[in-house]
Every structure is written in C-alpha cells, then in structure tokens.
Amino acid sequence: MSDRCRYTGLVWVGSIMNSLVVFLPGNIAGKFGGELKWSYLLNVPYALFPVLFAHRLFSLPAPANKPQSSSTVTSTIHFLLNLILFPALLAAIALCFFRMFAAIGSPALPAVFWVENVEPYLKDPTLYPLLQMIIFVVYYVPVFIFAACSLYSPPITNNHAQWLADWSAIAFGGALQAQFSYVGPALHNIPTYPEPSWKAVPEQGWDYFVAANALMVLVPFLLFVKYSLLDREVASVNVKKTKKYR
C-alpha cells in the first residue's frame, strides 16, 4: 500500500473515531439522554468499522522509506519545523489542560474568564464540548508529549518512526473533525438561551477564541507534515546512523 493511501485512511480513521467518542457518550450523558431510542444502537457499526479498518492498516507492511535528500533546503525545512513545533506542542498541551479545567467548572479566575468571555459554549448542557476537551487531554496530549520528546532524537527503529507517522495522521484527522464540530456550534447563537444578550463568542474574547482553535488544528497538521510526509524520507537513514554509533 502506498503512503498516500495509508495516511489518507488513517486521517479518516482519526476523524471518525473522534466524532464517535464525543457523540455517543454525549447522547447518553447530555441533556437529551432521556430521549434515546433503540435506533441509537445503529451507531455501533460506525464505531466498530474504523477500529477494524485501522487494525487492517496497521497489519499491512509499512511503506518503504524513500531515499534521503541531502539538499540544504530540506535540512533547513526540518530545522525550522522542529523550531516551531516544540514551543507549539508545549502551548497546545497547556491549552488542552486549561480548556478542560474551564469546561469542568474550575473556580480559578482565568478559567472563569475563559468560559464567560471566550468560549461560553464549553458549558453547553449537551456536554459535547466538555467531552471534546476531555478527549483532547486523554488522547491527544500523550501524542503531543511523545512527539515533543522525539523532535530532537532520531528514531531508534523503523517501527518507532512508523508509529510516529501513523499516529500523527490519526491525530490530524481527529483534530480536523474536532474543530469542525466544535467551532461551528461555538459560533452559533442559541435562540433558546435564557439570556437574550448572550453571544456565542463575545467580542472581547474573539482573538483568544481564534488563536486557541487555530492552534489545535495547526499543531496536528505540522506533526502530520513532519512525521508522515517529511520524516518518512529520512527515517531509514536516521535508524542506520543510530545503530552505527551503538
């Protein structure tokens, strides 16, 4: 299987899985949990198929690494990407925890300010935003931490390099779906909201809202570009170098 097919499939797996791990629990725990019908079970195949599909992709032989490009331009791109990614990953990790604390109702002043002036949608009674913030911490933060630790250390084995490539593709697909499903409702004025003056994103919080949600797309995208597209070209060479000096 070619790189393009493998990583397109993993991006799709990430998008579907992120959707389901928020949608299914949210339907049960949210404000409409008492109105569930038996048709809810029709979602089960949609939850199983992406898992089986991902298992199938992981069981296939990894795509062959491409020859290393020794051009100065390629080396410069890698250096600049690493330089940008490390602080961006740290910022994304901190943001994930902060938004989760804000969503669960932390009384800390920054969290209260964030909910009231930046993302009021975090307190939506459907619980979809709360669940998404928890998913970011539970599933995305470990990938971000592992990626940050791997930025300046070459893969020890080809399996290590392939793991980074595969999970960066899954994280990118999940982040795209997460932001698409979150930003849309967050920008929507709820007609039935009891406070007529309420706005989805207050004017004073617009810059924070754009920056936070752009970061949560940009970081997974850069990880995907680095590990699934660029680093696959040099992974085999790095592995050989590591083994040489052992």
Side-chain angles (χ1 to χ4, degrees):
M1 177 180 290
S2 66
D3 282 11
R4 180 177 300 178
C5 292
R6 182 184 183 91
Y7 297 133
T8 300
L10 290 174
V11 169
W12 176 82
V13 167
S15 67
I16 295 297
M17 292 307 300
N18 185 92
S19 172
L20 293 173
V21 295
V22 173
F23 178 73
L24 296 181
N27 287 342
I28 297 175
K31 64 182 292 186
F32 301 111
E35 302 177 18
L36 290 180
K37 308 296 182 183
W38 284 105
S39 58
Y40 177 80
L41 297 177
L42 293 175
N43 291 291
V44 174
Y46 291 98
L48 294 178
F49 181 75
V51 175
L52 297 176
F53 184 70
H55 181 267
R56 170 64 176 167
L57 289 178
F58 289 146
S59 65
L60 293 175
N65 294 320
K66 300 174 183 179
Q68 182 187 27
S69 173
S70 58
S71 68
T72 304
V73 175
T74 302
S75 301
T76 303
I77 291 175
H78 278 276
F79 174 77
L80 292 176
L81 195 55
N82 289 353
L83 198 64
I84 295 171
L85 262 176
F86 190 75
L89 282 166
L90 296 182
I93 292 168
L95 180 64
C96 287
F97 279 104
F98 175 72
R99 293 170 86 194
M100 184 190 71
F101 292 144
I104 62 179
S106 169
L109 291 180
V112 173
F113 171 83
W114 192 269
V115 171
E116 293 180 353
N117 299 290
V118 181
E119 294 183 299
Y121 181 57
L122 289 176
K123 304 302 292 183
D124 189 82
T126 61
L127 298 187
Y128 295 139
L130 170 62
L131 288 169
Q132 184 62 70
M133 297 306 112
I134 294 174
I135 293 302
F136 275 138
V137 170
V138 173
Y139 293 104
Y140 290 75
V141 165
V143 175
F144 292 166
I145 292 174
F146 194 80
C149 294
S150 302
L151 282 177
Y152 297 103
S153 60
I156 298 175
T157 66
N158 278 324
N159 288 336
H160 179 192
Q162 188 61 51
W163 188 94
L164 285 168
D166 289 345
W167 282 100
S168 65
I170 292 174
F172 176 53
L176 283 179
Q177 194 284 329
Q179 293 306 105
F180 175 81
S181 299
Y182 175 80
V183 172
L187 295 174
H188 178 65
N189 286 314
I190 304 175
T192 59
Y193 199 77
E195 177 55 52
S197 63
W198 181 83
K199 293 183 179 180
V201 180
E203 292 182 5
Q204 63 269 31
W206 181 254
D207 293 341
Y208 295 106
F209 178 86
V210 172
N213 287 283
L215 182 68
M216 293 310 300
V217 172
L218 182 61
V219 169
F221 170 70
L222 292 177
L223 286 179
F224 174 69
V225 170
K226 174 177 173 56
Y227 289 117
S228 296
L229 302 182
L230 294 180
D231 277 13
R232 293 298 299 158
E233 298 182 2
V234 299
S236 60
V237 177
N238 285 338
V239 169
K240 290 178 181 178
K241 288 182 179 179
T242 302
K243 290 180 177 178
K244 178 181 178 181
Y245 293 107
R246 276 187 154 188

